Amino acid sequence: QVQLVESGGGSVPAGGALRLSCVASRAILTSSNYCMGWFRQAAGKEREGIAFIGSDGVRYAASAQGRFTISKDNAKNTLDLQMNSLKPEDTAMYYCAAAFRIGGYCPSLKPGNFDYWGQGTQVTVSS
């Protein structure tokens, strides 16, 4: 059973920063057969992929490029998302997700391709 637990959400003014963390089992974080990443879902909108890390490297959505950084902390067993220069349009529920793929290549970054999900953490950015 894969469990993912997010934390770190909150309310910040525009231009602020937050660091989200997703606690996962060490076996998942260090496995070469998982793609892991972050999605977000704003009210009334579809869930969208933001940042991913797999054996084929790191990928970011255009909206996150240059502002967000995804990383793994094997000592803490976490997948982290550092978010800087936050904008009101970043307001959403943020979810950690994992996809099992032999070789660890990240699949097409659609929610349906990911097998495991956390419960989400809310990020609110005020203007």
Side-chain angles (χ1 to χ4, degrees), residues 4 12 28 30 46 64-65 77 85-86 89 91 93-95 98 101-104 106 116 119 124-125 127:
L4 304 172
V12 295
I28 298 299
T30 58
E46 294 185 352
Q65 190 75 43
N77 293 340
S85 302
L86 284 163
E89 51 263 44
T91 295
M93 185 72 80
Y94 283 70
Y95 297 92
R101 292 290 185 280
I102 298 297
C106 284
Y116 306 101
Q119 82 290 350
T124 302
V125 184
S127 57

Side-chain angles (χ1 to χ4, degrees), residues 50-96:
I50 296 300
F52 300 87
I53 186 167
S55 62
D56 51 343
V58 175
R59 298 188 215 173
Y60 295 99
S63 58
Q65 190 75 43
R67 298 188 300 128
F68 294 2
T69 302
I70 189 171
S71 62
K72 291 182 179 180
D73 187 332
N74 290 337
K76 297 181 180 179
N77 293 340
T78 61
L79 176 75
D80 299 327
L81 185 68
Q82 177 67 42
M83 304 188 296
N84 298 328
S85 302
L86 284 163
K87 305 174 182 179
E89 51 263 44
D90 294 318
T91 295
M93 185 72 80
Y94 283 70
Y95 297 92
C96 176

